[in-house]
Amino acid sequence: MSKGLRKGLTSYGDAGFSLFLRKAFIKAMGYSDDALDRPIVGITNTGSDYNPCHGNMPALVEAAKRGVMLAGAMPMVFPTISIHESFAHPTSMFLRNLMAMDTEEMIRAQPMDAVIVIGGCDKTLPAQIMAAASVDLPTVVVPVGPMVVGHHKGEVLGACTDCRRLWSAHRAGDIDEEEIGEVEGRLAPSVGTCMVMGTASTIACMTEALGLSLPMSATVPAPHAERVRIAEASGRRAAEMARTGGPRPSEILTPAAFRNAQVVLQAIGGSTNGIVHLTAIANRTPHKIDLDSFDAIGRAVPVLVDLKPSGDHYMEHFHHAGGMPKLLQQLGTLIDLDAPTVAGGTLRDVVAAAEEVPGQTVIRSPTDPIKPVGAVAVLHGNLAPRGAVIKHSAATPALLQHTGRAVVFESTADMAARIDDPDLDVRADDVLVLRNTGPKGAPGMPEAGYLPIPRKLGRQGVKDMVRISDARMSGTAFGTIVLHITPESADGGPLALVRTGDMIRLDVAARRIDMLVEDAELARRRAALGAPAEPAWAARGYARLYWASVLQADEGCDFDFMRREP
């Protein structure tokens, strides 16, 4: 098989001419024949002025290049799309599949024998791993790392769990404009991803558990020198993989690896977004994620990592307590330690090298867990025939079995217009319902599931309510919130049938979410509803492709034509 510059020659009808022309152009950049005759490691550059999470990208790219060259291979850096949560309209999830396609096609189109993908902000690592799984070229994943903690009035702050809590206090009138402005400048004190167990941290931890990144890659803070050294070590390892041809993602992403990732998601108090992304990654392989099996894992795996929003600490504390190797050690037989990793051995080797940190309490043992069962539960019922999820580790225990009256919002715009209306007919024991916020309805399944507490209730001291939607929620958020209701309302799901005043019952112990409306009445409502119409936003371009092809949350929200059949 062709390697290096001879790989994937541009079609001019003459292979010799194609190689001659390729070398002629690349020599314009000053490369020698010695450099061009070596194995090539491609390195993605997802740096962007719109992506502060990736603010350390230049340093990581240079370190990865250094590692590749120290190992005798040739690094070639190339750009791809970069997505930041707060700078992506309409949502970052809308663009995840575009980034996955872009990354996949650039890896396929350009000559490289291995690839290093560097990313971190919520949708970037999933997109890159989806691409890597489809291309099946030897791949090392380098997360950019979490930011360090902030401080305000003697309190440790973390983006973005504390940003939600403090913003709620501001909405309730407890924090004035001047102070919330001060908080704004202190929540994110460095580059890097959110330092709580949000989606970015969840994906980084699952990536390490999958075996796609080097040990400790998930937890080293973004500004630390150790983060740069990991990038260099990843470059060295990628060069070795370029030379030997493996291991490839297909050798790493086994059923055992996917189960390990699900165990870790539950044990870290991970983001509900994690299961959507893991499903999309698995669907690029012959293996699949079963939601009922994921729920069964959650019943058997305790939450062991004491991080916000399920606990009290932050990613840098998780790192200093021993990081993922120590967590995998604590999980014991719940983890398949014979699963291979890109480091060249197995997770057994990783666990054997785990650091012992005397007195640390961030990574607990199974006999002293943060929560006795895992972070995420899967619900079914007449509201969610194909499933919904709740991060019950971050919910109010008293609300996990609750029946209340529905207060329905038709869209995020409707919610924004009415949620703070003093005349809104809403009580603390009601169930807030938001629809038309799924993959097609929003579009892009925004992180709108964290419906704000109506202002008049917030001022009465109400901190949490049962809230349900077909949207997603940031992994940094907390509350009794049912998400990913599938099928979504815009695709004809039963959430479209709920009316204000209907009674809704949540029973997490029984894994149920139901509206207490007779089947005959639901049938009448469905008949009156009609078929979903194509929205105006889907008229052209990528939006049209998205509307026509996006799958539901239980299938990972990937495009239907990107799945690999078993």
Side-chain angles (χ1 to χ4, degrees), residues 1-68:
M1 186 175 68
S2 298
K3 302 197 75 171
L5 283 188
R6 291 168 174 79
K7 185 175 183 179
L9 290 171
T10 307
S11 180
Y12 290 110
D14 181 336
F17 174 74
S18 295
L19 179 61
F20 162 75
L21 197 61
R22 174 173 285 180
K23 294 183 73 172
F25 276 113
I26 201 67
K27 283 186 173 181
M29 298 180 70
Y31 291 112
S32 66
D33 284 323
D34 179 32
L36 297 176
D37 284 341
R38 295 175 182 269
I40 295 175
V41 176
I43 303 172
T44 63
N45 184 351
T46 56
S48 167
D49 286 349
Y50 290 108
N51 197 337
C53 290
H54 292 193
N56 59 345
M57 185 65 59
L60 297 181
V61 167
E62 287 305 310
K65 288 172 63 179
R66 183 167 66 245
V68 170

Side-chain angles (χ1 to χ4, degrees), residues 152-173:
H152 177 68
K153 292 186 174 181
E155 180 185 1
V156 177
L157 296 184
C160 197
T161 295
D162 294 313
C163 68
R164 296 175 188 279
R165 174 177 59 83
L166 294 169
W167 184 255
S168 294
H170 173 59
R171 280 173 46 81

Side-chain angles (χ1 to χ4, degrees), residues 340-469:
T341 80
V342 292
T346 66
L347 290 180
R348 194 173 302 279
D349 303 311
V350 174
V351 165
E355 182 181 1
E356 292 296 328
V357 181
Q360 71 83 17
T361 59
V362 178
I363 306 172
R364 303 286 188 87
S365 72
T367 59
D368 182 31
I370 303 300
K371 308 278 184 179
V373 295
V376 181
V378 178
L379 311 176
H380 292 280
N382 69 357
L383 261 178
R386 283 166 46 189
V389 299
I390 182 171
K391 188 173 181 177
H392 56 131
S393 65
T396 301
L399 291 175
L400 293 178
Q401 287 183 299
H402 180 80
T403 300
R405 185 188 61 152
V407 177
V408 179
F409 300 96
E410 292 294 332
S411 64
T412 55
D414 180 39
M415 179 182 69
R418 295 196 293 126
I419 193 73
D420 291 334
D421 186 339
D423 295 327
L424 179 67
D425 181 11
V426 63
R427 302 186 299 263
D429 60 352
D430 287 340
V431 175
L432 303 183
V433 177
L434 175 64
R435 59 179 168 224
N436 292 310
T437 50
K440 293 184 176 182
M445 205 180 181
E447 290 186 341
Y450 186 72
L451 282 73
I453 301 298
R455 180 171 291 164
K456 70 178 183 181
L457 296 182
R459 288 176 172 169
Q460 296 170 19
V462 176
K463 303 297 184 184
D464 193 14
M465 299 173 67
V466 174
R467 288 159 276 181
I468 69 173
S469 73

